[in-house]
């Protein structure tokens, strides 16, 4: 196996580029964390960043380094991150904050119809709850009245007052 200086320099340049991209992604996540200021978002974005960068380094070493992790590759990635944070971060940070604010505004506009739909659904549910609170009794009463509507007869031969008449007769018997 031979060492090609040109290939190693190309690999080092690509590692520097990977470090620059890693720094830019971290800066973007920092702008998102500053915009929403949430502890769980901070932890989630840090875990996501570490996993993504670890996967990128692994794929880079497998593809470009032919499965061997070379120390100059790690140094190149670290140097790319340092170069980004010392030279480019101050220039790019306002751009990241602009885009996070724009994305937050767009998300707010897109969420508004969803929130209206949720509010409408809650109002419909409250109205339905008011009207159908006694739905079982309502269905029972309607079933009873539908059974005797067309026949003209109610049980016990009367027009539905038989129970009341019976109860009056029972009261008289009890008094006597």
């Amino acid at each position: 196996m031979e060492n090609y200086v040109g290939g190693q320099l190309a690999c080092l340049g690509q590692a520097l580029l990977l470090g620059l991209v890693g720094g830019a992604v971290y800066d973007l996540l920092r702008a998102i964390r500053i915009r929403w200021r949430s502890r769980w978002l901070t932890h989630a974005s840090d875990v996501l960043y570490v996993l993504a960068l670890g996967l990128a380094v692994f794929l880079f070493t497998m593809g470009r380094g032919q499965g061997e992790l070379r120390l100059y590759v790690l140094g190149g990635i670290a140097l790319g991150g340092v170069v980004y944070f010392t030279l480019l971060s101050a220039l790019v940070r306002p751009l990241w904050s602009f885009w996070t604010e724009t994305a937050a505004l767009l998300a707010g506009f897109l969420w508004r119809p969803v929130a209206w739909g949720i509010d409408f659904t809650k109002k419909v549910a409250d109205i339905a709850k008011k009207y159908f609170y006694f739905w079982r009794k309502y269905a029972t009463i309607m079933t009873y009245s539908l059974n005797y509507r067309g026949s003209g007869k109610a049980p016990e031969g009367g027009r539905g007052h038989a129970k009341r008449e019976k109860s009056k007769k029972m009261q008289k018997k009890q008094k006597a």
Side-chain angles (χ1 to χ4, degrees):
M1 180 190 233
E2 299 177 20
N3 286 331
Y4 294 107
V5 176
Q8 289 176 345
L9 284 175
C11 188
L12 179 64
Q14 292 169 351
L16 281 168
L17 185 63
L18 181 62
L20 287 170
V21 169
V25 169
Y26 187 80
D27 222 11
L28 173 64
L29 291 176
R30 180 182 4 185
I32 292 171
R33 286 192 309 248
I34 288 172
R35 169 67 174 91
W36 279 285
R37 295 190 190 271
S38 171
R39 181 173 288 188
W40 69 267
L41 182 66
T42 300
H43 295 313
S45 65
D46 285 345
V47 168
L48 180 71
Y49 175 75
V50 167
L51 290 175
L53 190 63
L55 180 66
V57 169
F58 174 75
L59 292 176
F60 182 78
T61 57
M62 288 307 239
R64 194 65 188 135
Q66 295 152 353
E68 294 181 12
L69 181 61
R70 303 175 192 269
L71 289 178
Y72 66 87
V73 170
L74 290 178
I77 293 171
L79 185 62
V82 168
V83 165
Y84 176 80
F85 283 114
T86 56
L87 298 178
L88 299 175
S89 180
L91 298 173
V92 178
R93 197 173 300 150
L95 180 68
W96 289 135
S97 64
F98 168 75
W99 282 112
T100 54
E101 290 295 324
T102 304
L105 185 66
L106 179 66
F109 284 140
L110 293 176
W111 179 253
R112 190 169 290 163
V114 174
W116 289 342
I118 290 170
D119 290 341
F120 178 74
T121 305
K122 286 181 182 179
K123 287 180 183 178
V124 167
D126 288 342
I127 291 170
K129 185 178 178 182
K130 286 179 187 176
Y131 284 118
F132 293 107
Y133 187 68
F134 298 107
W135 69 275
R136 287 189 180 131
K137 288 183 181 180
Y138 177 77
T140 305
I141 292 169
M142 289 302 291
T143 302
Y144 179 77
S145 66
L146 287 177
N147 286 337
Y148 301 107
R149 181 174 285 180
S151 68
K153 291 184 183 177
E156 308 276 333
R159 280 265 184 205
H161 301 290
K163 288 185 180 179
R164 188 170 11 162
E165 290 175 11
K166 248 187 182 178
S167 65
K168 286 181 184 178
K169 288 179 185 178
M170 292 296 285
Q171 289 174 358
K172 285 181 185 178
K173 283 184 182 180
Q174 288 175 355
K175 287 182 183 178

